[in-house]
Amino acid sequence: MRSCNDVMTMDPTCCAVSDPVSQVAEIMKSEDVGSVPIVEDVTSKKLVGILTDRDIVLQVVAGGKDAKSVKAEEVMTRNPVTCKPEEDIQNAFDRMSQHQVRRIPVVDGRDRVVGIIAQADLATRLDRAEKFEKAVEQISQPVA
């Protein structure tokens, strides 16, 4: 089986907890991504959360908040589900399914962001379409 390192997007752009949500949204737009890892600071890259496009819509836009004044740490998901680069990709599949997340940061032994795996990575970098289809189905199940 392949490792997370084989399918992850290496060195994703991260934002700091103190960055405004508008800056995170600009990165999402320019890099065509749906989530950005949030780190203590961009030098350490120590993961503390993740901010998704859905978080921005539900917590900032629908909440009538100003994206230029709201900080990433105020609306990010804390303690996101992660995996290690050397782990079997099946572990990432299982965690994504169990927690119903579409993206999973990849961190090293010191919790520094080294990559990210998204559903699109699984679809384009794995050669077993049926396994991907099953994972998407599991990740997309409604929460009971």
Side-chain angles (χ1 to χ4, degrees), residues 15-19 21 24 28 36-40 46-52 55-56 59-60 65 70-80:
C15 285
V17 291
S18 60
D19 289 339
V21 169
V24 181
M28 289 178 181
V36 174
I38 306 299
V39 295
E40 282 182 350
K46 184 172 186 210
L47 183 69
V48 294
I50 192 165
L51 188 58
T52 67
D55 293 331
I56 294 171
Q59 296 184 56
V60 179
K65 298 176 182 171
V70 174
K71 304 295 182 206
E73 69 183 330
E74 297 174 51
V75 293
M76 71 182 186
T77 298
R78 295 178 185 280
N79 304 312

Side-chain angles (χ1 to χ4, degrees), residues 4-5 82-87 95 105-111:
C4 292
N5 194 54
T82 64
C83 62
K84 303 282 188 217
E86 64 277 1
E87 283 185 66
R95 283 193 200 111
V106 182
V107 296
D108 67 11
R110 297 191 304 187
D111 289 330

Side-chain angles (χ1 to χ4, degrees), residues 8-15 36-50 80 82-83 85 104-117:
M8 72 182 188
T9 298
M10 305 268 296
D11 196 29
T13 300
C14 299
C15 285
V36 174
I38 306 299
V39 295
E40 282 182 350
D41 63 70
V42 291
T43 304
S44 76
K45 292 193 108 174
K46 184 172 186 210
L47 183 69
V48 294
I50 192 165
T82 64
C83 62
I104 186 168
V106 182
V107 296
D108 67 11
R110 297 191 304 187
D111 289 330
R112 293 178 305 187
V113 177
V114 295
I116 194 163
I117 299 173

